[in-house]
Structures are given as C-alpha cells and as structure tokens.
Amino acid sequence: MAAAALNPPDRAARLTRLNSVPTPFVTPSLLNCDFGRVGEELAALKQAGTVAVHLDVMDGHFVPNLSYGAPVIADWRKYTEFPFDTHLMIADPGRYLDDFIDAGCDVIIFHIEAVPEPVPLLRRIRAAGCQAALSLNPPTPLAAIEPFLDELDAVLVMSVMPGFGGQKFEAQVLDKVRALRSQRPGLRISIDGGINRTTVGEAVAAGATQLVAGSAVFRSDGNYAAALAELAEGARCVRT
Ligand code: DX5
Ligand code: ZN
C-alpha cells in the first residue's frame, strides 16, 4: 500500500476539530464495545456527544492480548469522521506505521518501552500529517520521555498495565501527570485505564485533559449519554 495519507484534507479537518475541543474531554475506548455492531456503536457515541474515539491495537507480544489492526480500522474509517486516537500497544510500531496512516488514523501513539529511541518514528508520524504521541506504562518514569517532549502533540499516561479493559486505576501515576503538567502547561495529557466517575476527578485535578474510558462508557444499559454525563460530572468534582 502507498505511504501517502488517505484523504489528507479530511485528516486535517478532523485534527482541527480535535484541537478545538474544550478540555477536559472523554474519548471512549472501543475495546469494550460490541464489535458485531460497530457502526451502530459509533452512531450511538456520536448521538451521545462523543468528539473522538480511542482505538486500542494489541499484538500479543508487547501486551498479552490481541485486538485488531490497520485493515479493520480502514474499514471503520469509511463510516465515521471521528478523529481516531490510535494507541499502538505493539512491539514494532515502525514496521506497521504506514498501514495505520493509510487506514485513516489521526493521533498515533506508541510506547516508549517499545521504542526507546522514538524521534525518527515521531517525525514520520508528523510528516504524514498525523499527531504524534508517546505512552508510558505505570512503572516507567517520566524521565524516559522528557527528552522528546518537543516532538510530541500529546502524552498518554497509562494508569493500568496495558492489555485489558476493566482494570483498577493506579493512582500513583498521577505524580507523573502533575510533574508533566507543571513542565508543559499547554500539552494534551491523556490518561488511560480505570477511568470512571470516581477516578476521573483526581486525574483532571492532576492535569489530565483527555480521559480515555472503556468500561465506564460501554456499560450494560447502553446509555452512553448518561455515562458521558457521569464522567463529566465526576471531572467537575475535582479531587486532589
Ligand atoms: C488498556 C487500554 C485501554 C482500555 C481502557 O490496555 O489501553 O484503552 O480499553 O479500558 P478501561 O477504561 O475499562 O480501563
Ligand atoms: Zn488505550
């Protein structure tokens, strides 16, 4: 497949929209959605006021789970204009990067634990018109990404070990969020894992501006508007 970005004007428009979303905002992680009816799920999220979705790509090597890859995302892209916040939990993101760009991903996040020298990859992502982000696991110190902050559009702080939805929020990672926020007042800081109506407040208080939420959105009653409203309410009840 050619390395050229798919529909570059559309991507630029999606990213302009994403950049103008008031913070903090929630990006539902599709990991816990009904994959048998993704089109309906995306329509329901749009109806509920979602502004972007978070896509979790897992390879069974970097994390002990498998999800989906670029061909599946390319099919979703035909049916939605949601910005795709794409979280690559894969061992060799550089090998597949062009596939994710061509599939219509917008923000491309990979892990510092997978690519300790990330600058060439970050620059390839930006050169394709996408936004580049690094993620770090709970045990990884902030120092691991600090040398690269000028190359980043966002940082994704993991508040669980990646691989599965529905895990317990690890509050100690908020020290990293606070430290990063004090260094970079304008940076988009996402937090991912265990975000719910209780934990969202402390994440926002620490400085997170983007809340990734899987199981808190895709709950059993299917009322995504209510779930998003509860998270927004929790975000207002800032806990320090
Ligand atoms: C975990 C993924 C998350 C996950 C979040 O490895 O990166 O995006 O879907 O799910 P919850 O919100 O249930 O922790
Ligand atoms: Zn994720």
Side-chain angles (χ1 to χ4, degrees):
M1 197 180 273
L6 187 73
N7 297 327
D10 294 341
R11 170 174 290 130
R14 290 193 297 270
L15 285 173
T16 301
R17 254 191 354 263
L18 182 66
N19 288 339
S20 65
V21 171
T23 58
F25 65 95
V26 173
T27 41
S29 154
L30 296 191
L31 197 60
N32 278 27
C33 83
D34 180 348
F35 285 108
R37 13 181 315 278
V38 173
E40 289 166 55
E41 294 279 51
L42 290 169
L45 289 173
K46 186 165 184 210
Q47 180 76 25
T50 295
V51 292
V53 289
H54 179 88
L55 307 183
D56 288 301
V57 175
M58 303 180 184
D59 66 353
H61 294 281
F62 183 72
V63 289
N65 199 5
L66 289 164
S67 58
Y68 49 79
V72 173
I73 295 172
D75 278 349
W76 296 342
R77 176 45 80 210
K78 297 177 203 159
Y79 302 102
T80 178
E81 274 301 307
F82 276 139
F84 283 165
D85 188 58
T86 316
H87 181 189
L88 301 181
M89 288 163 276
I90 64 179
D92 189 1
R95 180 173 173 187
Y96 303 99
L97 181 64
D98 289 343
D99 295 336
F100 289 104
I101 292 167
D102 290 346
C105 297
D106 298 307
V107 182
I108 299 185
I109 308 153
F110 63 92
H111 273 257
I112 190 68
E113 300 86 358
V115 186
E117 298 293 337
V119 172
L121 205 48
L122 293 168
R123 291 188 179 167
R124 278 175 63 198
I125 293 170
R126 282 181 153 180
C130 297
Q131 290 186 354
L134 278 173
S135 182
L136 67 174
N137 286 340
T140 303
L142 190 58
I145 64 160
E146 278 172 341
F148 314 116
L149 293 178
D150 287 341
E151 308 277 345
L152 300 178
D153 296 292
V155 170
L156 178 71
V157 176
M158 290 307 302
S159 38
V160 299
M161 277 306 282
F164 301 91
Q167 301 183 74
K168 187 173 177 298
F169 185 73
E170 296 188 27
Q172 81 279 4
V173 306
L174 294 177
D175 289 342
K176 287 189 280 189
V177 175
R178 276 186 282 270
L180 186 56
R181 177 54 69 219
S182 70
Q183 285 182 45
R184 299 278 162 149
L187 182 69
R188 187 189 311 143
I189 303 178
S190 304
I191 191 158
D192 184 3
I195 291 293
N196 57 40
R197 67 167 100 168
T198 308
T199 57
V200 67
E202 45 190 325
V204 171
T209 46
Q210 179 179 358
L211 300 317
V212 177
S215 42
V217 173
F218 292 97
R219 52 192 214 172
S220 53
D221 72 359
N223 189 343
Y224 302 154
L228 291 170
E230 280 175 9
L231 288 168
E233 177 58 27
R236 278 191 291 275
C237 300
V238 164
R239 294 169 184 85
T240 50

